[in-house]
Amino acid sequence: MSDKQQPIKSGFDNRSTAAEVLDGIDLTGKTAVVTGGYSGIGLETTRALASAGAEVVVPARRPDLAAANLEGIAGTEVDELDLADLDSVRRFAERRFADGRRIDLLVNSAGIMACPETRTEKGWELQLATNHLGHFALVNRLLPLLEGARVVSVSSNGHRQSPIRWDDPHFDTGYDRGQAYGQSKTANVLFAVELDRLAASSGIRAFALHPGAILTPLQRHFTEAEQREIGWIDEHGNPPAHFKSAEAGAATQTWAATSPKLDGLGGLYLEDCEIAEVNPDLDAGPGVRPHAIDPEQAQRLWAFSAELTGVNTFA
């Protein structure tokens, strides 16, 4: 467990926006890839990075919708990618190599949450397949283009809901959508821990993060009644005061991808534009839970993911 998993006084907080964390940072000449960069906090991340001068490639399962959502944002382009389809991941990577541009920032922002039980053609549980395995394959395939890059994985405090379920990772013995989401978010953090260990010598540094509580299309699988019961909205459909705007929700991943204060660091979990503390309480409170940053679990997950996907640059 990293002894660097502790705050560094970033100067930002839970209300800082993506534009604010980029104030004074010039990304001209940089190329960013933002999965899911056409919706919710991914869209705000794309907007902020492009405004700072970056060229932003937005892979999308629905390219037409992505193009419509990105209309008017200069410096952006759309490419096709379905993270739940490894052939689609391979084809996307091949097009990036053909394009030839180095990737300076890779933000793995795409994800699904608490969907009904769904499986890929390979029989994998869809949340693990989309949120983790697709991104695992993507990063490994793009790795030669990522030398010196930051790789940012958008996790969640939902990682509290489940460690990796080694005895039944695909919920073959009974599906729980909350635990499935939690497992995939734990996987996002463990992936950053192990990627950073393996790739830091190539200048690639990896981070994972909780963006905060934000109402976005991610909650599409919850009914209004369920959202009221959970406390996400009141009887009028309004979120509670502690919920962030999409602009603030995008801030931590934007900060992770660009902040000079994170130079020389990696393998860490962030929240509210800050390095989070370790919190062993599974039920409540901020911070990262120990099971999500355990280096042995991270190595085990990497080997498991490589076996499933057939992709491992470090083999």
Coordinates of all heavy atoms in Angstrom, one line a residue, residues 204-263:
I204 N 4.9 6.6 -17.7 CA 3.4 6.5 -17.7 C 3.0 6.4 -16.2 O 3.4 5.6 -15.5 CB 2.9 5.3 -18.5 CG1 3.3 5.3 -19.9 CG2 1.4 5.1 -18.3 CD1 3.1 4.0 -20.7
R205 N 2.2 7.4 -15.8 CA 1.7 7.4 -14.5 C 0.2 7.3 -14.5 O -0.5 7.8 -15.3 CB 2.1 8.7 -13.7 CG 3.6 9.0 -13.7 CD 4.5 7.8 -13.3 NE 4.2 7.2 -12.0 CZ 4.9 7.5 -10.9 NH1 6.0 8.3 -11.0 NH2 4.7 6.9 -9.8
A206 N -0.3 6.5 -13.5 CA -1.8 6.1 -13.5 C -2.4 6.6 -12.2 O -1.8 6.5 -11.1 CB -1.9 4.6 -13.7
F207 N -3.6 7.0 -12.3 CA -4.4 7.4 -11.2 C -5.9 6.9 -11.3 O -6.3 6.7 -12.5 CB -4.5 9.0 -11.1 CG -3.2 9.6 -10.9 CD1 -2.4 10.0 -12.0 CD2 -2.6 9.8 -9.6 CE1 -1.1 10.6 -11.8 CE2 -1.4 10.4 -9.5 CZ -0.6 10.8 -10.6
A208 N -6.5 6.7 -10.2 CA -8.0 6.4 -10.2 C -8.6 7.5 -9.3 O -8.0 8.1 -8.5 CB -8.2 5.0 -9.7
L209 N -10.0 7.6 -9.4 CA -10.6 8.7 -8.6 C -12.1 8.4 -8.5 O -12.7 7.7 -9.2 CB -10.4 10.0 -9.4 CG -11.0 10.1 -10.8 CD1 -12.3 10.8 -10.7 CD2 -10.0 10.6 -11.8
H210 N -12.6 9.1 -7.5 CA -14.0 9.3 -7.3 C -14.4 10.7 -7.7 O -13.9 11.7 -7.1 CB -14.4 9.1 -5.8 CG -15.8 9.4 -5.4 ND1 -16.9 9.0 -6.1 CD2 -16.3 10.1 -4.4 CE1 -18.0 9.5 -5.6 NE2 -17.6 10.2 -4.5
P211 N -15.3 10.8 -8.7 CA -15.6 12.2 -9.1 C -16.5 13.0 -8.2 O -16.6 14.2 -8.4 CB -16.2 11.9 -10.5 CG -16.9 10.6 -10.4 CD -15.9 9.8 -9.5
G212 N -17.2 12.3 -7.3 CA -18.2 12.9 -6.5 C -19.6 12.5 -6.9 O -19.8 11.7 -7.8
A213 N -20.6 13.0 -6.2 CA -22.0 12.7 -6.4 C -22.5 13.7 -7.4 O -22.5 14.9 -7.2 CB -22.8 12.7 -5.2
I214 N -22.9 13.2 -8.6 CA -23.4 14.1 -9.7 C -24.6 13.4 -10.4 O -24.5 12.2 -10.6 CB -22.3 14.3 -10.8 CG1 -21.0 14.7 -10.1 CG2 -22.7 15.4 -11.7 CD1 -19.9 13.6 -10.3
L215 N -25.6 14.1 -10.7 CA -26.7 13.5 -11.5 C -26.3 13.6 -13.0 O -26.2 14.7 -13.5 CB -28.0 14.3 -11.2 CG -28.8 13.9 -9.9 CD1 -30.1 14.7 -9.9 CD2 -29.0 12.4 -9.8
T216 N -26.1 12.4 -13.6 CA -25.8 12.4 -15.0 C -26.6 11.2 -15.6 O -27.3 10.5 -14.9 CB -24.3 12.1 -15.2 OG1 -24.0 10.7 -14.8 CG2 -23.4 13.1 -14.3
P217 N -26.4 10.9 -16.9 CA -27.1 9.8 -17.5 C -26.6 8.4 -16.9 O -27.2 7.4 -17.2 CB -26.7 9.9 -19.0 CG -26.5 11.3 -19.2 CD -25.9 11.8 -17.9
L218 N -25.6 8.4 -16.1 CA -25.1 7.2 -15.4 C -26.2 6.6 -14.6 O -26.2 5.3 -14.4 CB -23.9 7.5 -14.6 CG -23.1 6.3 -14.0 CD1 -22.5 5.5 -15.1 CD2 -22.1 6.8 -13.0
Q219 N -27.1 7.4 -14.1 CA -28.2 6.8 -13.2 C -29.4 6.3 -13.9 O -30.4 6.1 -13.3 CB -28.6 7.9 -12.2 CG -27.6 8.2 -11.1 CD -26.6 9.3 -11.5 OE1 -26.8 10.0 -12.5 NE2 -25.6 9.6 -10.6
R220 N -29.3 6.1 -15.2 CA -30.4 5.8 -16.1 C -31.2 4.5 -15.6 O -32.3 4.4 -16.0 CB -30.0 5.7 -17.5 CG -29.1 4.5 -17.9 CD -28.8 4.4 -19.4 NE -28.1 5.6 -19.9 CZ -26.8 5.7 -19.9 NH1 -26.0 4.7 -19.5 NH2 -26.2 6.7 -20.4
H221 N -30.5 3.6 -15.0 CA -31.1 2.4 -14.6 C -31.8 2.4 -13.3 O -32.3 1.4 -12.8 CB -30.1 1.2 -14.6 CG -29.5 1.0 -16.0 ND1 -30.3 0.5 -17.0 CD2 -28.2 1.1 -16.4 CE1 -29.5 0.4 -18.1 NE2 -28.3 0.7 -17.8
F222 N -31.9 3.6 -12.6 CA -32.6 3.8 -11.4 C -33.9 4.6 -11.7 O -33.9 5.6 -12.4 CB -31.8 4.6 -10.4 CG -30.6 3.8 -9.8 CD1 -29.4 3.8 -10.5 CD2 -30.8 3.1 -8.6 CE1 -28.3 3.1 -10.0 CE2 -29.7 2.4 -8.1 CZ -28.5 2.4 -8.8
T223 N -35.0 4.1 -11.2 CA -36.3 4.8 -11.3 C -36.3 6.0 -10.5 O -35.4 6.2 -9.5 CB -37.5 3.9 -10.9 OG1 -37.4 3.7 -9.5 CG2 -37.5 2.6 -11.7
E224 N -37.2 7.0 -10.7 CA -37.3 8.2 -9.9 C -37.6 7.8 -8.4 O -37.0 8.4 -7.5 CB -38.4 9.1 -10.4 CG -38.0 9.9 -11.6 CD -39.0 10.9 -11.9 OE1 -39.8 11.3 -11.0 OE2 -39.0 11.4 -13.1
A225 N -38.4 6.8 -8.2 CA -38.7 6.3 -6.8 C -37.4 5.8 -6.2 O -37.2 6.1 -5.0 CB -39.8 5.3 -6.9
E226 N -36.6 5.0 -6.9 CA -35.4 4.5 -6.3 C -34.4 5.7 -6.0 O -33.8 5.7 -4.9 CB -34.7 3.5 -7.3 CG -35.5 2.2 -7.4 CD -34.9 1.3 -8.5 OE1 -34.4 1.9 -9.5 OE2 -34.9 0.1 -8.3
Q227 N -34.4 6.7 -6.9 CA -33.5 7.8 -6.6 C -33.9 8.6 -5.4 O -33.1 9.1 -4.7 CB -33.4 8.7 -7.9 CG -32.7 8.0 -9.1 CD -32.4 8.9 -10.2 OE1 -31.9 10.0 -10.1 NE2 -32.8 8.5 -11.4
R228 N -35.2 8.7 -5.2 CA -35.7 9.4 -4.0 C -35.4 8.6 -2.8 O -34.9 9.2 -1.8 CB -37.2 9.7 -4.1 CG -37.6 10.8 -5.1 CD -39.0 11.2 -4.9 NE -40.0 10.1 -5.2 CZ -40.5 9.8 -6.3 NH1 -40.2 10.6 -7.4 NH2 -41.3 8.8 -6.5
E229 N -35.5 7.3 -2.8 CA -35.3 6.5 -1.7 C -33.8 6.5 -1.3 O -33.4 6.6 -0.1 CB -35.7 5.0 -2.0 CG -35.5 4.1 -0.8 CD -35.9 2.7 -1.1 OE1 -36.5 2.5 -2.2 OE2 -35.7 1.8 -0.3
I230 N -32.9 6.5 -2.3 CA -31.5 6.6 -2.1 C -31.1 8.0 -1.5 O -30.0 8.1 -0.8 CB -30.7 6.2 -3.3 CG1 -31.0 4.8 -3.8 CG2 -29.2 6.4 -3.2 CD1 -30.5 4.4 -5.2
G231 N -31.8 9.0 -1.9 CA -31.5 10.3 -1.5 C -30.8 11.1 -2.6 O -30.2 12.2 -2.3
W232 N -30.9 10.7 -3.8 CA -30.3 11.4 -4.9 C -31.1 12.6 -5.4 O -30.6 13.5 -5.9 CB -30.0 10.5 -6.1 CG -28.9 9.5 -5.9 CD1 -28.0 9.5 -4.9 CD2 -28.7 8.3 -6.7 NE1 -27.2 8.4 -5.0 CE2 -27.5 7.7 -6.1 CE3 -29.2 7.8 -7.8 CZ2 -27.0 6.5 -6.6 CZ3 -28.6 6.6 -8.4 CH2 -27.5 6.0 -7.8
I233 N -32.4 12.5 -5.2 CA -33.3 13.6 -5.6 C -34.4 13.7 -4.5 O -34.7 12.8 -3.8 CB -34.0 13.4 -6.9 CG1 -34.8 12.1 -7.0 CG2 -33.0 13.4 -8.1 CD1 -35.6 11.9 -8.3
D234 N -35.0 14.9 -4.4 CA -36.1 15.1 -3.5 C -37.4 14.9 -4.2 O -37.4 14.5 -5.4 CB -36.0 16.5 -2.8 CG -36.1 17.7 -3.8 OD1 -36.6 17.5 -5.0 OD2 -35.6 18.8 -3.5
E235 N -38.5 15.3 -3.6 CA -39.8 15.0 -4.2 C -40.1 15.9 -5.4 O -41.0 15.6 -6.2 CB -40.9 15.3 -3.1 CG -41.0 16.7 -2.6 CD -40.1 17.0 -1.4 OE1 -39.2 16.2 -1.2 OE2 -40.4 18.0 -0.7
H236 N -39.2 16.9 -5.6 CA -39.4 17.8 -6.8 C -38.4 17.4 -7.9 O -38.3 18.1 -8.9 CB -39.2 19.2 -6.4 CG -40.1 19.7 -5.3 ND1 -41.5 19.8 -5.5 CD2 -39.8 20.1 -4.0 CE1 -42.0 20.2 -4.4 NE2 -41.1 20.4 -3.5
G237 N -37.6 16.4 -7.6 CA -36.6 15.9 -8.6 C -35.3 16.6 -8.5 O -34.4 16.5 -9.4
N238 N -35.0 17.4 -7.5 CA -33.8 18.2 -7.3 C -32.8 17.4 -6.5 O -33.2 16.8 -5.5 CB -34.1 19.5 -6.7 CG -35.0 20.4 -7.5 OD1 -34.9 20.5 -8.7 ND2 -36.0 21.0 -6.8
P239 N -31.5 17.5 -6.8 CA -30.5 16.8 -6.0 C -30.2 17.5 -4.7 O -30.5 18.7 -4.6 CB -29.3 16.8 -6.9 CG -29.5 18.0 -7.8 CD -30.9 18.1 -8.0
P240 N -29.6 16.8 -3.7 CA -29.3 17.5 -2.5 C -28.1 18.5 -2.7 O -27.4 18.4 -3.7 CB -28.9 16.3 -1.5 CG -28.5 15.2 -2.5 CD -29.4 15.4 -3.7
A241 N -27.9 19.3 -1.7 CA -26.9 20.4 -1.8 C -25.5 19.9 -2.0 O -24.7 20.6 -2.7 CB -27.0 21.3 -0.6
H242 N -25.2 18.7 -1.5 CA -23.8 18.3 -1.6 C -23.5 17.7 -3.0 O -22.3 17.4 -3.3 CB -23.5 17.2 -0.5 CG -24.1 15.9 -0.8 ND1 -25.4 15.6 -0.3 CD2 -23.7 14.7 -1.3 CE1 -25.7 14.4 -0.6 NE2 -24.7 13.8 -1.3
F243 N -24.5 17.5 -3.9 CA -24.2 17.0 -5.2 C -23.5 18.1 -6.0 O -23.7 19.3 -5.9 CB -25.5 16.6 -5.9 CG -25.9 15.2 -5.7 CD1 -25.9 14.6 -4.5 CD2 -26.4 14.4 -6.8 CE1 -26.2 13.3 -4.3 CE2 -26.7 13.1 -6.6 CZ -26.6 12.5 -5.3
K244 N -22.6 17.6 -6.9 CA -21.8 18.5 -7.7 C -22.5 18.8 -9.1 O -23.3 17.9 -9.6 CB -20.5 17.9 -8.0 CG -19.6 17.7 -6.8 CD -18.2 17.1 -7.2 CE -17.3 16.9 -6.1 NZ -16.0 16.4 -6.5
S245 N -22.2 19.9 -9.7 CA -22.5 20.1 -11.1 C -21.6 19.2 -11.9 O -20.6 18.7 -11.5 CB -22.3 21.6 -11.4 OG -20.9 21.9 -11.4
A246 N -22.0 19.0 -13.2 CA -21.2 18.3 -14.1 C -19.8 18.9 -14.2 O -18.8 18.2 -14.4 CB -21.9 18.1 -15.4
E247 N -19.7 20.2 -14.2 CA -18.4 20.9 -14.4 C -17.5 20.6 -13.2 O -16.3 20.4 -13.4 CB -18.7 22.4 -14.5 CG -19.4 22.9 -15.8 CD -20.9 22.8 -15.7 OE1 -21.4 22.3 -14.7 OE2 -21.5 23.2 -16.6
A248 N -18.1 20.6 -12.0 CA -17.3 20.2 -10.8 C -17.0 18.7 -10.8 O -16.0 18.3 -10.3 CB -18.0 20.7 -9.5
G249 N -18.0 17.9 -11.2 CA -17.8 16.5 -11.3 C -16.6 16.1 -12.2 O -16.0 15.1 -12.0
A250 N -16.4 16.9 -13.2 CA -15.3 16.6 -14.1 C -13.9 17.1 -13.6 O -12.9 16.8 -14.2 CB -15.6 17.3 -15.5
A251 N -13.9 17.8 -12.5 CA -12.7 18.5 -12.1 C -11.6 17.5 -11.6 O -10.4 17.7 -12.0 CB -13.0 19.5 -11.0
T252 N -12.0 16.5 -10.9 CA -10.9 15.6 -10.3 C -10.2 14.8 -11.4 O -9.0 14.7 -11.4 CB -11.5 14.7 -9.3 OG1 -12.1 15.5 -8.2 CG2 -10.4 13.8 -8.6
Q253 N -11.0 14.3 -12.4 CA -10.3 13.6 -13.5 C -9.5 14.5 -14.4 O -8.4 14.2 -14.8 CB -11.3 12.8 -14.3 CG -12.4 13.6 -15.0 CD -13.6 12.7 -15.3 OE1 -14.2 12.2 -14.3 NE2 -13.9 12.5 -16.5
T254 N -9.9 15.8 -14.5 CA -9.1 16.8 -15.3 C -7.9 17.1 -14.5 O -6.8 17.2 -15.1 CB -10.0 18.0 -15.5 OG1 -11.2 17.6 -16.2 CG2 -9.2 19.0 -16.4
W255 N -8.0 17.3 -13.2 CA -6.8 17.6 -12.3 C -5.9 16.4 -12.4 O -4.6 16.6 -12.5 CB -7.3 17.8 -10.9 CG -6.3 18.2 -9.9 CD1 -5.6 19.4 -9.9 CD2 -5.8 17.4 -8.9 NE1 -4.7 19.4 -8.8 CE2 -4.8 18.1 -8.2 CE3 -6.1 16.1 -8.4 CZ2 -4.1 17.6 -7.1 CZ3 -5.4 15.6 -7.3 CH2 -4.4 16.4 -6.7
A256 N -6.4 15.2 -12.3 CA -5.5 14.0 -12.3 C -4.7 13.9 -13.6 O -3.6 13.5 -13.6 CB -6.4 12.7 -12.2
A257 N -5.3 14.3 -14.7 CA -4.7 14.2 -16.0 C -3.7 15.3 -16.3 O -2.8 15.1 -17.1 CB -5.7 14.3 -17.1
T258 N -3.7 16.4 -15.6 CA -2.9 17.6 -16.0 C -2.1 18.3 -14.9 O -1.2 19.0 -15.2 CB -3.9 18.7 -16.6 OG1 -4.8 19.1 -15.6 CG2 -4.6 18.1 -17.8
S259 N -2.4 18.0 -13.6 CA -1.8 18.9 -12.5 C -0.3 18.6 -12.4 O 0.1 17.5 -12.2 CB -2.5 18.6 -11.2 OG -1.8 19.3 -10.2
P260 N 0.4 19.7 -12.4 CA 1.9 19.6 -12.1 C 2.2 19.1 -10.7 O 3.2 18.5 -10.5 CB 2.4 21.0 -12.3 CG 1.4 21.7 -13.2 CD 0.1 21.1 -12.8
K261 N 1.2 19.3 -9.8 CA 1.4 18.8 -8.4 C 1.5 17.3 -8.3 O 1.9 16.8 -7.3 CB 0.3 19.4 -7.5 CG 0.4 20.9 -7.3 CD -0.3 21.3 -6.0 CE 0.0 22.8 -5.7 NZ -0.6 23.2 -4.4
L262 N 1.0 16.6 -9.3 CA 1.0 15.2 -9.3 C 2.2 14.6 -10.1 O 2.4 13.4 -10.2 CB -0.3 14.6 -9.9 CG -1.5 14.9 -9.1 CD1 -2.8 14.4 -9.9 CD2 -1.5 14.2 -7.8
D263 N 3.1 15.5 -10.6 CA 4.3 15.0 -11.3 C 5.1 14.1 -10.3 O 5.3 14.5 -9.2 CB 5.2 16.2 -11.7 CG 4.6 16.9 -12.9 OD1 3.6 16.4 -13.5 OD2 5.1 18.1 -13.2

